[in-house]
Amino acid sequence: MLLSIVERSLFRDKDGGAKVVKHRFLGFLIWQALQSTAVFFLSKTLFLSLFTRTPFKPSFLSLFGFIVFHFSLLIFSTSLFIISSPRPQCAASPLELLLGTARLILVPISNSQPLLSPDFRLRARASLSFVLFVAVSAVSASLSVISLCWSCHAFDQLKPRRLVIGKLGFWGLQIGLFYGVHYVYKKRWVLQFPIIQRPPFFSFKMGLPLAVGKALKLSAAGYVFSALLAFILPYEFKGQLPVGNFITEQILFYIGSFVVILCWELCHHLHQVLHTKRSVFAPPKGSAAAETNPSEPLLATLEESTPKSLLQYLAFLDLCMVCEGNVDPWRRAAFFEESGETYKRVISVCLTPVEQFTRNVSEVFESSPVDNSMQLSHQLRSPTEQLADSKVYESFDDFQLLAWCVRIVASLTVHSHKEDRFGVAQLSGSNAAVISTLLSNLLVVETLMGKKTNLQSSNTLMDPAGIKWATLNSGRRDSAAGVAGKRKVAPFYAKAYSMADILRTSIYGIVSAFYDEMSHSAKAGLLEKDWIISSKPLYGTRELLSQKLRLFLDFQAS
């Protein structure tokens, strides 16, 4: 409740949208400290008190250990926030980093051309952030294990005391390295926006069992990993305890690693909940800004924020919920203002990512060679094909954003049938642009999935049984479909299938809302003129898009 009130007050300022992410990070640190304190005292009371002579006696060392424990979690939480992103990021390989560093050192600086490309800088920054996260995880785990297990009496006979710190720190270092590498490799740093938005407390509560189960699995795997690495432990750390205390020592190590990973999993879950929660980019209802221009904060965030940043993702999420739901009808009604500028801005900002995706994939089709080598297996494919697959895979990195954009433009087009009092959607040509872009995108995705998108001949053959036989076109599009059909085992195929399903559902929604108008246009021979743009589509031809639209109108598109 307090979080929502503060977020709404932020938008009273001109730069309020930029404060949302910072505010959420500060809130994340506060809640992380509270939950970590609870875990610290529970672990000390329930588990580690059994191995401590005076567990409830306060001392300066206990207070110092508590501070060190929170400091270790603070640096871990900060690194978690730095590495997190709403979309996957490509990292530069060690060889590329080495070559880039050598280029900076050896090549003289020139004002006309930068030494490193912007794409390489982004990938190098991602690589360095991954390395930083793994290093911080190792240091954080080392400090946390030391602060947790320092006072246990099982280490009383291990002297000098620096050996206790060394042994616990070395064990925690291994646990941290294992967790950091696993976290980066599994891409758990990518923010997953939930399909259904729930209150933060409810979402956090629902994920607690999963976080505890994940912590048990990772701590067990980390314990085995550390046991294997224990062979390289210096001799002075071995054989210093009696044989009878060996089991106690291993139990303490596992408890310490479990508590640390549990705190990290809870931090990860809390970070996901707080940073994927919907943020309302609108002035307070009833204020002067809400009466004059309620859409300006949202549009300013969409247009002026850093492309593909968390702030832009939150703005698209808010826009999608406004367009699809009926909670804030006054905000959606403001899109259909009389001048039509607001509606055109919303449609333009949402169609831009979809159009860019269509161009990227169509360029891959145009550059893909068509020869007998396409029949070979994935291991024997040429470097050109592998590069094409990598480009397509990178295009699907913005899958969440593309899905929101498709749903937004489709919902706005559907609602314009009843809510557009001034007819700005039809008069501005936005309806034709939306239909054409969605159809082109669907054709690209279906071609990528291996589905033939050839144009049926007007003089189709009909046999006596009434079966229509379409003549096949052996042109470039069939070749592209055949090429793409070999990629069904590619990792992006599942996203392509989901994308095609979202596109078909969105187009069917528009067709259902404008069924009468489209039917009359089709009977009059004006369907292509009224609902397809006059210029060349992004992919395919106007005839192909018109034929695809007729399939949707006949409810035969699948």
Side-chain angles (χ1 to χ4, degrees):
M1 181 68 70
L2 180 62
L3 188 63
S4 301
I5 294 175
V6 176
E7 283 180 356
R8 291 177 182 176
S9 64
L10 289 175
F11 292 104
R12 296 176 183 175
D13 301 330
K14 184 177 180 180
D15 300 329
K19 300 178 182 178
V20 174
V21 178
K22 179 181 178 181
H23 170 71
R24 292 193 174 193
F25 174 62
L26 295 177
F28 162 67
L29 292 181
I30 294 174
W31 288 107
Q32 174 269 327
L34 294 177
Q35 70 177 12
S36 299
T37 301
V39 173
F40 180 85
F41 283 110
L42 286 177
S43 62
K44 282 285 190 178
T45 304
L46 299 179
F47 301 113
L48 297 177
S49 61
L50 303 176
F51 307 95
T52 308
R53 300 187 186 279
T54 55
F56 304 106
K57 181 179 179 180
S59 63
F60 175 77
L61 290 179
S62 300
L63 178 61
F64 181 74
F66 177 75
I67 296 175
V68 170
F69 181 78
H70 274 286
F71 173 75
S72 65
L73 291 179
L74 175 63
I75 61 176
F76 175 82
S77 302
T78 305
S79 65
L80 179 63
F81 174 77
I82 293 174
I83 196 179
S84 64
S85 173
R87 63 187 298 272
Q89 296 179 356
C90 296
S93 62
L95 180 59
E96 291 177 330
L97 291 176
L98 183 61
L99 294 177
T101 305
R103 183 179 177 84
L104 287 176
I105 297 175
L106 301 177
V107 178
I109 300 177
S110 175
N111 296 328
S112 60
Q113 185 178 3
L115 296 178
L116 302 177
S117 63
D119 179 67
F120 175 78
R121 292 180 181 179
L122 292 177
R123 292 188 292 113
R125 187 181 304 171
S127 300
L128 294 178
S129 64
F130 294 155
V131 174
L132 176 64
F133 176 79
V134 174
V136 169
S137 300
V139 175
S140 175
S142 181
L143 294 176
S144 299
V145 172
I146 292 173
S147 61
L148 282 170
C149 303
W150 163 267
S151 59
C152 295
H153 62 79
F155 302 102
D156 290 344
Q157 301 182 27
L158 188 61
K159 296 182 179 180
R161 298 299 290 177
R162 65 180 178 83
L163 294 182
V164 179
I165 298 177
K167 197 165 189 176
L168 292 174
F170 185 78
W171 187 274
L173 189 71
Q174 299 173 72
I175 295 293
L177 286 175
F178 170 79
Y179 185 89
V181 173
H182 175 272
Y183 195 90
V184 172
Y185 178 74
K186 292 294 184 179
K187 295 184 178 181
R188 301 185 64 199
W189 42 271
V190 179
L191 296 174
Q192 301 293 335
F193 290 84
I195 299 176
I196 301 176
Q197 287 284 325
R198 299 184 178 94
F201 176 76
F202 183 77
S203 299
F204 180 76
K205 181 182 69 174
M206 293 295 292
L208 285 180
L210 295 177
V212 175
K214 192 74 173 179
L216 286 171
K217 294 179 182 179
L218 290 177
S219 58
Y223 177 82
V224 175
F225 174 77
S226 301
L228 296 176
L229 291 182
F231 290 103
I232 65 175
L233 194 68
Y235 178 77
E236 62 179 353
F237 291 157
K238 298 180 181 179
Q240 300 295 327
L241 292 177
V243 178
N245 288 358
F246 177 76
I247 297 178
T248 303
E249 179 191 55
Q250 300 304 310
I251 293 175
L252 287 174
F253 283 154
Y254 180 77
I255 291 176
S257 61
F258 169 73
V259 172
V260 172
I261 294 181
L262 176 61
C263 290
W264 288 356
E265 283 298 310
L266 292 177
C267 287
H268 164 75
H269 178 54
L270 180 66
H271 185 271
Q272 290 276 344
V273 170
L274 292 183
H275 285 81
T276 58
K277 173 182 173 291
R278 179 193 178 186
S279 181
V280 180
F281 290 81
K285 190 175 181 180
S287 61
E291 296 294 334
T292 56
N293 196 357
S295 306
E296 187 58 32
L298 177 60
L299 291 175
T301 305
L302 289 171
E303 296 172 347
E304 300 175 6
S305 59
T306 304
K308 302 174 184 178
S309 62
L310 175 59
L311 184 61
Q312 191 181 64
Y313 268 68
L314 292 174
F316 272 109
L317 173 61
D318 181 45
L319 178 58
C320 184
M321 298 189 70
V322 170
C323 295
E324 291 187 337
N326 292 319
V327 179
D328 299 319
W330 63 278
R331 294 183 60 192
R332 189 173 62 229
F335 297 152
F336 302 102
E337 48 90 17
E338 186 174 3
S339 67
E341 292 300 323
T342 302
Y343 186 84
K344 288 189 290 185
R345 288 174 64 186
V346 173
I347 295 297
S348 175
V349 76
C350 293
L351 287 184
T352 299
V354 183
E355 293 173 349
Q356 186 62 42
F357 171 82
T358 306
R359 292 192 189 95
N360 293 340
V361 180
S362 60
E363 289 176 0
V364 171
F365 288 158
E366 294 298 330
S367 61
S368 296
V370 183
D371 51 27
N372 294 331
S373 63
M374 294 302 174
Q375 308 299 329
L376 300 180
S377 61
H378 178 76
Q379 292 81 3
L380 299 179
R381 286 186 301 161
S382 63
T384 305
E385 292 179 83
Q386 297 179 8
L387 179 61
D389 279 356
S390 65
K391 290 182 179 179
V392 174
Y393 185 74
E394 292 176 3
S395 299
F396 278 100
D397 287 346
D398 300 317
F399 171 77
Q400 178 66 84
L401 187 64
L402 292 171
W404 284 337
C405 290
V406 171
R407 290 161 52 187
I408 289 170
V409 295
S411 299
L412 278 181
T413 305
V414 170
H415 285 291
S416 68
H417 188 260
K418 295 183 178 179
E419 301 179 9
D420 187 8
R421 298 178 298 171
F422 304 103
V424 296
Q426 187 68 29
L427 295 176
S428 62
S430 298
N431 288 351
V434 168
I435 286 290
S436 301
T437 303
L438 296 186
L439 288 175
S440 296
N441 199 353
L442 179 60
L443 290 174
V444 162
V445 175
E446 288 181 344
T447 304
L448 186 64
M449 297 167 59
K451 189 174 182 179
K452 293 185 178 181
T453 57
N454 50 294
L455 183 64
Q456 293 184 2
S457 176
S458 58
N459 51 350
T460 54
L461 302 178
M462 189 81 69
D463 70 350
I467 301 177
K468 185 192 304 183
W469 298 91
T471 57
L472 294 180
N473 184 4
S474 57
R476 175 74 178 177
R477 303 227 174 270
D478 284 342
S479 301
V483 171
K486 305 301 179 182
R487 300 191 177 118
K488 288 189 177 181
V489 296
F492 55 77
Y493 184 78
K495 290 185 177 180
Y497 188 90
S498 302
M499 191 69 187
D501 185 60
I502 294 173
L503 287 165
R504 293 192 195 100
T505 304
S506 301
I507 297 174
Y508 268 126
I510 298 175
V511 170
S512 300
F514 291 89
Y515 183 78
D516 295 336
E517 292 84 349
M518 288 186 178
S519 298
H520 294 158
S521 298
K523 292 179 181 178
L526 301 176
L527 183 63
E528 182 177 345
K529 178 182 178 182
D530 295 340
W531 292 94
I532 306 296
I533 58 176
S534 57
S535 59
K536 186 181 184 302
L538 297 173
Y539 185 78
T541 60
R542 299 185 72 244
E543 293 77 10
L544 185 59
L545 266 61
S546 177
Q547 184 182 92
K548 194 71 174 178
L549 181 58
R550 290 179 183 273
L551 291 177
F552 278 98
L553 192 58
D554 296 335
F555 295 96
Q556 295 180 359
S558 60

